[in-house]
Amino acid sequence: MEFSCGFVYVPPAVSQKNGQQSNVIKRSALLPPVNRMRPRSPPPPPPTTSAEAKSPKPLRPLLKVIEQLEKTKDVKKAVKSTVFYENEEFHNKPEASPTPPRRTALLPPHMKPSSTRHSPPYSQPFDSSSTNSQAFTYDLPKDEPDSNASLWDPNYSDTTPEGTGGEVKPPTDTNNGSTKALVPPLPPRPSFMKSLPLYLVLLPTSQSSPSSPQKTDSPLIPSPKADKSPLSGNPNVLLVSLGKLLSEERGQITQGEPTSCSQCGSVLDSGQRNVKDCYFCGSWEPQCPLTGHRDGLFSLCPDEKPLGATDPLLLLCIDISGSMSITAEVSERENVVHKSRLQFVQEAVLQCVQRLSEQQPGMRVGLITFNYQVTMHGNEIFTSHSLSNAELIDCNFLKEAAASFPTPPPLSQTREYLQKQVMGLSEGGTTALGPAALLSIAIASRQPGSKVIICTDGKANTELGNLEVEDLDARTLLSSTIFYQELGLYAANQGVTVSVLSIEGTDCRLDELGRLADRTGGTVVIASPNKLHSEFEHIIENRTIATHCTVTLLLPQSLPIRGEREAGHKVTREVGNVDPDTEITFQFGASEQDTEVLAPASGSHVSIQLQIRYRQRRGRTMLRVITADREVTDDSSAALSSLSLAIVQLNSSQASAALAVRGRFLDARREGELQRKLIERAIEHNSNAEDHQTYQEWVKTMEPIYNKIHNFTRRKSVVSDSQSLTDAGAALLYTMKHSNRKSISRKNEHKC
């Protein structure tokens, strides 16, 4: 895991508030005060008569207090202050007169009058008259010696330390009778410096420029002032590159479940057996975090049998409804021809089949088409089978039909027959997309890691999963929404990735159909007819390396996780299928509103634990646990200097898109604006031209979130004022939600 900032940043306001409250202990009102004082005398007895109670109280206690204060002042006057000097006998000489004259204050040698100053031989002539006119005088107290009477003691030697009477000589090497000095003697001090005490040190002038201050450990040199102004956005972002972490299973694998906390589920060290030792959910505030950086890999079910080494399935679910007959003009060999949408799809599928047969001959490819009926195409071994009418309404019947259909053989055996079936397709009828999607996912679920690609140009308009009745029947639309949500969950639980590929210029209700891809880690793409082949290729190449992936993040209770539906210091995110480029991000930070749990103080350290549960393609269930230690700071400049803009930009894209997909458009815009201000301040602070160019490209990507979100929305129905996404808006936001650093850079290169 990677962090966008070199520190865990806590806003200065929260840090100062917690610093003031760190020593506050809530006590019961029934308990006596902590700093109580025992009275010296018992309280007076209560009045016995009403006349005594009404009579004014004497002022004797007040007079006693005043008398005591006067005595204290007299004692302070009687005590003579003691002044400590290196030569006490010299400075304690009897004074000539009881009343001290007005004397010159302690001034540097070049500002003292000539009458009281011993000029060194190399000094310039001094005008005593001009100096006397600017002399600073004050009245000496009776007990203070006159330091200007003599600048130094003639009997005092710089080379004679206190308590000794001889001269200090440098150490010598006495081996073999040698008297060679080991340390050269110090040069003599100038005469005007002999009046300075030995504990004063003259610091050399710094040679560094003011613009580049250097750090020093000397307490006498001030360090650069920390920037305490709060940051607009949140620099506390965690990046989890799942594709990288799950493909690098290095080190020793521990068999069995690790020792974990029964309350929060955090993985404990081998020596921790008590829940009170849990750092993350303990009610007490630990003195120190879990030190170090630990990485452990566990095989949770060592006795389970691995699956066979068979290649995953690829199911092509193709729309052959009547709308696929619409043609478009294209140029071929200097001639303009008209091709239908189905012809473009046929050419793209044929090219993919040919390439797969050459590069992955063991892959099993199945073909399913849908219009008013759903057809499972066979091969030379078994014939095709079609379902229609009432058979397309019952979900259980569709799953049973899928289970009875044989698994397609490897492509090396079926390539020619499959190509003939693709070329023989013809368009016509309605669009039974819902039943076809369920049937394809059920067949692909036989092998975890399989893929389903749905290619369509219109809305589903049969009973199961109908998306064309949005303006007439809101109840039917709601049932269709639930159908696609449950279908996506079913596919994710079976380890199947579903991608949706629509044709440009059509309306497929991708905001609902895209839920299949969103839940399973697939893609939602709108492609022009002549670019369908490249999109098919990109989806097929993105192989699945793990399934059933869940990511759990644990932080101290003082650092809640932001932007998640779960509140608190622990969050679990269902990822599902993982490909080599899958990256997810989290935001966390101290809450300014929570006063019960104090934020960590600046300079302290906190621990963060990441748990990744997943299933390998061979079926083995694994757990990877990573625990990292991070330093806390409230210095904004330190946070900005170590900020990774690429991670912050990726998190802003994912978080804003996730809010917009759920219909929270204002929250998505607000989230993007805050992070944009943070990025702008970091660029200004670091003055990096490359960061500025990357920022400009990222702003163009986020433009729909900032200013053009209304261009990607529409009214959900005639009877409702709620907004839904257009196909272009849904494809854009689903892509942003599942974006990664590689896809963003590829998109920027494509624009260039």
Side-chain angles (χ1 to χ4, degrees), residues 261 263 268 272-279 281-284:
C261 174
Q263 297 184 13
L268 307 177
Q272 293 177 317
R273 297 292 178 181
N274 194 344
V275 71
K276 293 183 179 180
D277 296 333
C278 178
Y279 168 80
C281 69
S283 58
W284 47 272

Side-chain angles (χ1 to χ4, degrees), residues 53 92 125 328 332 355 375 537 541 547 554 574 630 649 668 684 726:
N92 290 337
E332 288 186 355
R355 188 193 64 81
T375 302
E537 293 281 355
E541 289 175 355
T547 61
L554 282 160
E574 300 285 343
R630 308 295 294 177
Q649 291 170 357
E684 181 182 0
T726 62

Side-chain angles (χ1 to χ4, degrees), residues 35 47 56 205 239 321 381 404 465 478 492 612 648 667 671 680 749:
N35 298 326
T205 305
L239 169 67
S321 62
I381 302 176
S404 62
L478 178 60
I612 307 175
V648 176
D667 292 338
E671 169 67 23
E680 290 175 350
E749 292 175 359

Side-chain angles (χ1 to χ4, degrees), residues 538-560:
H538 178 67
I539 295 173
I540 295 173
E541 289 175 355
N542 207 11
R543 61 186 180 88
T544 302
I545 62 175
T547 61
H548 304 83
C549 179
T550 60
V551 179
T552 301
L553 182 63
L554 282 160
L555 295 103
Q557 295 185 5
S558 57
L559 296 174

